[in-house]
Amino acid sequence: MSYDSGDHPAVAVAVDLVTLTIRSDELCALMVRRGVEPFRDRWALPGGFVRPDEDLDAAAGRELAEETGLTTDRLHLEQLGSYGAPQRDPRMRVVSVAYLGLAPDLPLPIPGGDADGAQWLPVAALAGLAFDHDRILADGVERARAKLEYTPLATTFCPAEFTVAELRRVYEIVWGTTLDSRNFHRKVTGADGFLVPTGRTTGRDGGRPAQLYRRGDLQLLHPPMMRAG
């Protein structure tokens, strides 16, 4: 069956970014306050329309920089999924490709473009977002939580050198649970290639000096680190 151009309504392509970091012992998402309609003054994920001469990755980087002042070169960035419900944008049919970005200790954002504000906000406090961003945010958080089970992704939230206690705290914050410290230490130090000792110690955890590690070259955890329940 053949179609001519009149059979296909115009569809715009957009990008949205779920950018997560840990601040003040909370999992936080980068949010912008919309300065234009639709959904003016509502919190939304950074993002916007893809230009005709852009690929998706370039559009994601541009929108993040324009609306928040942050750059994707500091992020672990991966595509999260696509969202194309017919009524997700009241202006027209818009299909959005969402990205998940993770990094430790990201700076305060600087709003720009059509964003009236930009903040790191605790994920647990976010609801009633613009468009379908509640769903996209929830999908991004669940992707991060799930990948902590079977990849070393938790180290993305850590500095270049970190202690086992700092790594455990990442798991606890992202999963929203408390882990047994001895069992956790045994699992992560016993997984070949997960952590590499630096030969240095630090006292920043409090108490006696703790060994510092960096991420190894392990790609998949086997057996995985399972969430309770």
Side-chain angles (χ1 to χ4, degrees), residues 53-193:
D53 59 346
E54 284 182 315
D55 66 20
L56 295 173
D57 290 357
R62 176 183 55 78
E63 285 290 344
L64 184 67
E66 287 180 357
E67 294 191 341
T68 72
L70 303 183
T71 56
T72 56
D73 61 347
R74 300 189 60 175
L75 302 175
H76 164 89
L77 194 68
E78 62 182 66
Q79 281 195 16
L80 172 64
S82 56
Y83 299 81
Q87 304 302 321
R88 63 178 303 273
D89 190 318
R91 293 168 293 187
M92 62 182 300
R93 183 71 187 271
V94 178
V95 174
S96 181
V97 177
Y99 284 78
L100 174 64
L102 309 172
D105 194 28
L106 289 170
L108 293 174
I110 301 172
D114 58 6
D116 271 353
Q119 290 185 34
W120 291 105
L121 296 175
V123 166
L126 289 171
L129 305 179
F131 305 105
D132 54 354
H133 290 185
D134 287 285
R135 178 190 171 191
I136 299 176
L137 176 62
D139 288 350
V141 170
E142 177 54 30
R143 167 77 68 85
R145 287 172 173 163
K147 292 194 76 168
L148 259 61
E149 294 183 339
Y150 61 91
T151 76
L153 188 68
T155 59
T156 306
F157 289 104
C158 295
E161 296 184 358
F162 51 88
T163 68
V164 170
E166 289 169 339
L167 181 62
R168 186 183 78 248
R169 189 63 186 138
V170 168
Y171 277 89
E172 291 178 334
I173 291 169
V174 176
W175 283 351
T177 189
T178 301
L179 301 175
D180 180 82
S181 60
R182 291 185 179 181
N183 191 38
F184 181 84
H185 191 285
R186 176 181 57 80
K187 287 182 177 180
V188 297
T189 58
D192 188 34

Side-chain angles (χ1 to χ4, degrees), residues 8-24:
H8 301 283
V11 177
V13 178
V15 291
D16 290 301
L17 293 101
V18 178
T19 307
L20 303 176
T21 195
I22 292 175
R23 299 178 68 88
S24 301

